Amino acid sequence: AAAPQLAITYLAERNPTASPVTPHFVAVTIDSRVTTSADDAEQAAADGTVYTDSSDLEIVDDATYAGLQSAVGLRFRANLSIPQGSAISSAYITFTTDEADSDPTYLRIFAENSDDAAEFSTTNFAVTDREWTRASVSWTPLSWDTVGNTHSTPDLSTLVQVVVDRSGWSEGNSMAFFINGTGERTAESFDGGGLAAAPRLTITYLE
């Protein structure tokens, strides 16, 4: 009879002089615009009234409605096919100038800390009653001198990362941002500029 045999499979030590294997990531860039009236909103500081049908977005002073907005809200729902936990390398929002403004303006931008942001209602304080991220990004925009020109925020990747890292985030969910501060820059809204001039969110992530 044949004697018993021991079979062993092992991995040979890799050559320590060999080049390490570098993970390969592909950068994917997506754009998402505000696509309905209820996806951009202004909240008046005086009484919390929320407007979702304005012809422009006053960021954030507005002499027409009580002098000051306490916040502007923006929701993006289209094309956000970002897998949960993806590494966000860059993100920014682009606005189209509706009125020329040069007053000193100091803004802070937040994201909504939720899995799937809902559209804005006209209930009083519907913007500031939402859960904002603790993290924010400061923005001191230069003068907006020419109607129709576009201007982008600083990098918002830290805010987007907070949202996509949530366990409940899924590809195709919606994402919202809030802006408060002092001063004025006037941008096109969905109702005033239509889809072509509405605020646009651009995100680059790694897959």
Side-chain angles (χ1 to χ4, degrees), residues 88-91 109 111 133 135-137 155-165 177:
I88 307 301
S89 61
S90 69
I109 306 171
T133 54
S136 65
V137 172
D155 180 55
L156 306 178
S157 58
T158 55
L159 305 182
V160 175
Q161 192 70 65
V162 170
V163 178
V164 302
D165 280 349
F177 297 85

Side-chain angles (χ1 to χ4, degrees), residues 40-109:
D40 55 18
E42 298 170 312
Q43 180 179 304
D47 58 6
T49 301
V50 174
Y51 305 90
T52 60
D53 58 355
S54 176
S55 62
D56 56 25
L57 295 172
E58 306 285 352
I59 311 169
V60 284
D61 292 355
D62 185 354
T64 304
Y65 295 117
L68 178 69
Q69 312 294 352
S70 58
V72 169
L74 304 166
R75 176 182 181 244
F76 301 92
R77 65 171 101 189
N79 304 324
L80 294 182
S81 54
I82 306 170
Q84 191 276 336
S86 295
I88 307 301
S89 61
S90 69
Y92 56 90
I93 298 172
T94 301
F95 297 94
T96 301
T97 304
D98 181 67
E99 299 174 10
D101 294 302
S102 60
D103 291 344
T105 297
Y106 308 95
L107 307 172
R108 288 201 303 166
I109 306 171

